[in-house]
Amino acid sequence: MNSGTSDLISPILQNHYVLAVHDLHRSAKFYVEILGFRIVREPPGWFFVAKDNCMIMLGECPDDMHPSQLGCHNYFAYLRVDDVDAYHAELQGKGVTPLDAASDQPWGMREFGIRTPDGHRITVGQMIKVPVGADRA
């Protein structure tokens, strides 16, 4: 890899996700009421929702392939939080059934997954300390 070209490429200032959703209003409601996002823009056929340093651009595509047809490829985001267990409990309190319990992973994250009303999956994680040598085979 040529590391000399990195100076020529503009810095990435923020990360936005773009999602095709079948029901725009239902999806926006999930992000706002369950995940704590706010609607920041409403161009025709879209809702842009944001929370902290994350923006998700929801585009209404009622006739597109359902995310469940994508298998493992329907994961679209990894949201890093500072207390994954509290976030897990908060979502359960709001009626969300996580896909799995929060668990420690060998890559230094404690994480769990959720599914959106449209079937997209999100992983939520927190950095943890990895024991020395644990990342070596």
Side-chain angles (χ1 to χ4, degrees), residues 30-37 51 87-97:
F30 173 80
Y31 286 96
V32 170
E33 294 182 6
I34 303 299
L35 298 183
F37 283 70
K51 180 174 180 5
Y87 200 84
H88 187 276
E90 182 178 346
L91 293 182
Q92 284 184 307
K94 292 180 176 181
V96 174
T97 303

Side-chain angles (χ1 to χ4, degrees), residues 114-127:
I114 61 172
R115 187 180 319 272
T116 71
D118 273 293
H120 296 100
R121 293 187 287 178
I122 301 170
T123 300
V124 179
Q126 169 188 347
M127 292 180 74

Side-chain angles (χ1 to χ4, degrees), residues 3 22 26 33 35 48 85 91:
S3 63
H22 288 136
R26 181 179 68 161
E33 294 182 6
L35 298 183
F48 293 6
D85 294 303
L91 293 182

Side-chain angles (χ1 to χ4, degrees), residues 26-121:
R26 181 179 68 161
S27 291
K29 182 178 179 178
F30 173 80
Y31 286 96
V32 170
E33 294 182 6
I34 303 299
L35 298 183
F37 283 70
R38 67 189 191 293
I39 296 172
V40 294
R41 292 198 61 205
E42 295 182 49
W46 292 84
F47 279 132
F48 293 6
V49 296
K51 180 174 180 5
D52 304 320
N53 200 29
C54 180
M55 180 180 289
I56 302 171
M57 302 159 72
L58 304 169
E60 190 161 38
C61 301
D63 300 323
D64 276 8
M65 179 187 311
H66 193 274
S68 65
Q69 295 176 286
L70 299 173
C72 290
H73 297 281
N74 65 6
Y75 276 102
F76 83 91
Y78 195 108
L79 304 178
R80 205 174 95 204
V81 299
D82 61 2
D83 187 341
V84 74
D85 294 303
Y87 200 84
H88 187 276
E90 182 178 346
L91 293 182
Q92 284 184 307
K94 292 180 176 181
V96 174
T97 303
L99 298 173
D100 45 18
S103 60
D104 295 352
Q105 301 301 325
W107 45 86
M109 299 297 290
R110 180 168 176 75
E111 59 189 36
F112 69 94
I114 61 172
R115 187 180 319 272
T116 71
D118 273 293
H120 296 100
R121 293 187 287 178

